[in-house]
Amino acid sequence: MATAIVNVPSNVGAVKGLDCQSFVGLRPSPNVRSFNCVRTAKKRGPGRFAIRASESPRDGPLRKLGRSDAECEADVVAGNVPEAPPVPPKAAAPAGTPVVPLLPLSRRPRRNRKSPALRAAFQETTLSPANFVYPLFIHEGEEDTPIGAMPGCYRLGWRHGLVEEVSKARDVGVNSIVLFPKVPDGVKSPTGDEAYNDNGLVPRTIRLLKDKYPDLVIYTDVALDPYSSDGHDGIVREDGVIMNDETVHQLCKQAVSQARAGADVVSPSDMMDGRVGAIRAALDAEGFHDVSIMSYTAKYASSFYGPFREALDSNPRFGDKKTYQMNPANYREALVESHEDESEGADILLVKPGLPYLDIIRLLRDNSSLPVAAYQVSGEYSMIKAGGVLKMIDEERVMMESLMCLRRAGADIILTYFALQAARCLCGEKR
Ligand code: PBG
């Protein structure tokens, strides 16, 4: 009997139907009857499911209905063909439908879309909670503070709200997070030295989470903006220039400090030149050769980051980020960046924002063998939320479609504020 074993997170709830339209992730939808999920592992073992090819395993003796094969065949040969339902009549078209000759088409692509089972069979892209990285905002406070421009998102208390949110995410198979800190103004400085304080908010939080959830995958953001009194990702010279190599020096210290705390993947989002190679060397020199680098390879100077900057109170105090983040008009330049990052040792290439930059995701997918990440940024999230609240669009469907489209464009993983909501949807938990 054909049996497939699929690994799913052991903490995913009951095996219900994956009924979020056709966004198949972990298990077949309830109306696909020919598969049967059977939990095989002992209660607390790893989540393993055997998928059998039929509802009831035919392990027992064959059912005996009375007549032998030879007798049945003899009946047919003698002309006593058994009854079967007739072909149903052709469905009627509404009155007034024009009568036209068939178009002489050798190919009618709609044939492969004519039923849910066929559509499921030919679906080219899938979406799973395992593809999501959940960005979480943290602060020193005990309470969770709502973020005005991002409905449903909070600055989470690092010891309370954050731990609960991570637990909820793991319950539906999201086991990767990325941390964004809002640090007190009092620790910000022009050189952002708080970024590599081993007892700062981020390293402290990593240690706490790793203690509670050793298998949680923790990504960190490497950039100075949350720690910079100027709100820039790098050190600002008197004349407003963002100093590249001096900033990279700080970023290396920041990445090492995060790695020391237990980060799995450090993610430079600063867009300084040469930072990937320098961070790689710094990590290796300290013995952190197992810590990965997800480089924000093509990060554009985008207005879609507005709500995020409100969330962290990290708006640049003056000027903009156009001397380091890329011009939204540019396509080829993404290749220049990706060649650099790849040769400097990046493990994952990231494109940001997501939906308006699908062409860039595809470009990197087609020109690199490395995994590609897409960041569905704050502005994209807030637009979908706002459209949903105003009843202009169906929030859940647009959310799932946007995530699927990022995957279709070539993203292996997606950083999205929808991670928990979308994973719940994939697990059949309607909210
Ligand atoms: C800064 C950083 C930004 C985001 C992630 N890291 C903002 C910026 O570059 O100003 C934006 C994420 C979002 O908008 O969701 N290092």
Side-chain angles (χ1 to χ4, degrees), residues 51-303:
I51 297 184
R52 294 217 185 92
S54 70
E55 284 264 279
S56 49
R58 281 268 195 123
D59 295 335
L62 286 181
R63 272 193 303 165
K64 197 81 181 107
L65 288 178
R67 306 178 67 245
S68 69
D69 292 357
E71 288 167 325
C72 296
E73 288 193 350
D75 278 352
V76 173
V77 172
N80 299 324
V81 179
E83 289 272 315
V87 176
K90 278 229 163 90
T97 301
V99 178
V100 299
L102 275 187
L103 292 172
L105 303 179
S106 63
R107 194 158 300 288
R108 289 181 181 261
R110 288 182 55 189
R111 282 196 281 261
N112 288 344
R113 306 198 285 262
K114 69 187 164 201
S115 73
L118 284 168
R119 291 195 293 274
F122 303 130
Q123 179 161 326
E124 298 174 37
T125 309
T126 57
L127 191 59
S128 150
N131 301 125
F132 300 148
V133 179
Y134 193 11
L136 295 168
F137 299 108
I138 51 173
H139 69 160
E140 298 282 5
E142 308 253 299
E143 312 266 302
D144 300 337
T145 315
I147 298 165
M150 299 178 71
C153 290
Y154 298 80
R155 286 181 207 139
L156 301 164
W158 70 283
R159 262 186 302 195
H160 303 102
L162 171 70
V163 177
E164 280 162 37
E165 195 70 8
V166 168
S167 158
K168 287 182 203 162
R170 283 162 60 86
D171 276 346
V172 286
V174 176
N175 202 26
S176 300
I177 62 158
V178 54
L179 293 171
F180 291 107
K182 180 191 181 294
V183 302
D185 281 346
V187 301
K188 296 184 183 182
S189 67
T191 45
D193 300 277
E194 177 65 12
Y196 54 86
N197 171 1
D198 282 339
N199 214 25
L201 180 56
V202 167
R204 224 186 306 136
T205 302
I206 297 172
R207 297 201 306 266
L208 177 79
L209 288 176
K210 280 285 177 182
D211 183 56
K212 286 199 189 296
Y213 310 114
D215 65 333
L216 177 72
V217 181
I218 302 181
Y219 291 67
T220 54
D221 191 62
V222 180
L224 297 186
D225 53 325
Y227 313 95
S228 152
S229 41
D230 299 310
H232 275 285
D233 291 22
I235 300 173
V236 188
R237 208 167 61 188
E238 197 178 29
D239 56 0
V241 167
I242 311 297
M243 303 174 76
N244 191 88
D245 300 18
E246 295 75 2
T247 298
V248 170
H249 178 84
Q250 299 290 75
L251 300 176
C252 289
K253 290 172 136 181
Q254 182 181 18
V256 166
S257 169
Q258 294 167 345
R260 198 177 289 129
D264 298 280
V265 186
V266 299
S267 326
S269 69
D270 55 289
M271 291 299 281
M272 296 301 120
D273 294 333
R275 89 278 207 218
V276 171
I279 290 172
R280 184 70 273 156
L283 289 172
D284 290 351
E286 297 284 333
F288 298 115
H289 41 268
D290 284 341
V291 172
S292 318
I293 300 178
M294 177 171 75
S295 175
Y296 284 58
T297 296
K299 175 171 179 178
Y300 287 87
S302 168
S303 301

